[in-house]
Amino acid sequence: MCSSDLTPRVGLTQYQSAIDPRDGQRFADDFIGRYIDRIKINPGDFKLTSSKLILNKTYFINLSQTYNGITVWGSKLGIKATPEGKVFLYGGQIFTGIDLNSTPTFPLESARLNAYSGIEYNPATDLIQYDNLYVLPLIFDDRIDYYLGYL
């Protein structure tokens, strides 16, 4: 995989959507579908993380990228639009060209046991807060390697 797989994008546009921006996911899917040639990822590979109307002037719609339903760590796509549904700015960091077996090698409990080995872990006093599966992009100068990991 080459460094072009990491795709930071910022774009100005004047796209008028027929979808009400209060329906953040549908609105974003409509926009991404229209600009798929620029974004290069299908609308179904994004999930809504937040959608807010600020000062009754601008919708800030934020999404994260998924791969086979698994969130891609560090990915983001933001869309800014008027309350009338006119997108004027979008941008973010997305990863194209992910090719990864999305079935974990270890079930979560086995991964936890492996993580605990070699450290002083006490289940009575130590708390594990995160155990979600993610696609982890490791970015090098000449490539990006992708792995699955529980975080």
Side-chain angles (χ1 to χ4, degrees):
M1 288 166 246
C2 65
S3 60
S4 64
D5 286 343
L6 172 62
T7 313
R9 288 186 172 48
V10 173
L12 298 172
T13 186
Q14 292 292 314
Y15 177 65
Q16 178 66 53
S17 177
I19 308 295
D20 189 321
R22 289 179 293 188
D23 187 350
Q25 185 70 60
R26 282 188 58 232
F27 183 82
D29 289 349
D30 177 60
F31 172 75
I32 294 164
R34 170 65 174 84
Y35 287 93
I36 198 164
D37 60 319
R38 296 180 192 175
I39 296 173
K40 301 188 186 301
I41 297 176
N42 291 319
D45 292 333
F46 288 95
K47 68 178 178 182
L48 185 70
T49 56
S50 68
S51 180
K52 297 177 185 172
L53 177 62
I54 307 296
L55 300 174
N56 290 322
K57 291 173 47 174
T58 304
Y59 273 95
F60 289 79
I61 299 169
N62 295 299
L63 305 111
S64 62
Q65 180 184 349
T66 64
Y67 176 77
N68 292 340
I70 302 167
T71 300
V72 179
W73 183 263
S75 67
K76 57 188 169 273
L77 178 63
I79 301 170
K80 296 185 180 31
T82 67
E84 296 77 31
K86 187 176 224 175
V87 176
F88 58 88
L89 182 67
Y90 69 95
Q93 178 171 287
I94 55 179
F95 297 87
T96 59
I98 298 173
D99 184 16
L100 178 69
N101 180 347
S102 56
T103 303
T105 305
F106 297 100
L108 176 58
E109 197 53 43
S110 295
R112 277 186 181 159
L113 291 173
N114 284 336
Y116 302 152
S117 64
I119 64 170
E120 294 181 23
Y121 172 76
N122 181 343
T125 59
D126 297 330
L127 174 66
I128 298 201
Q129 294 181 316
Y130 306 104
D131 57 8
N132 295 315
L133 186 63
Y134 288 90
V135 173
L136 303 173
L138 296 182
I139 303 167
F140 299 95
D141 288 340
D142 61 341
R143 71 185 191 284
I144 301 174
D145 293 339
Y146 297 98
Y147 297 93
L148 290 180
Y150 291 103
L151 300 176

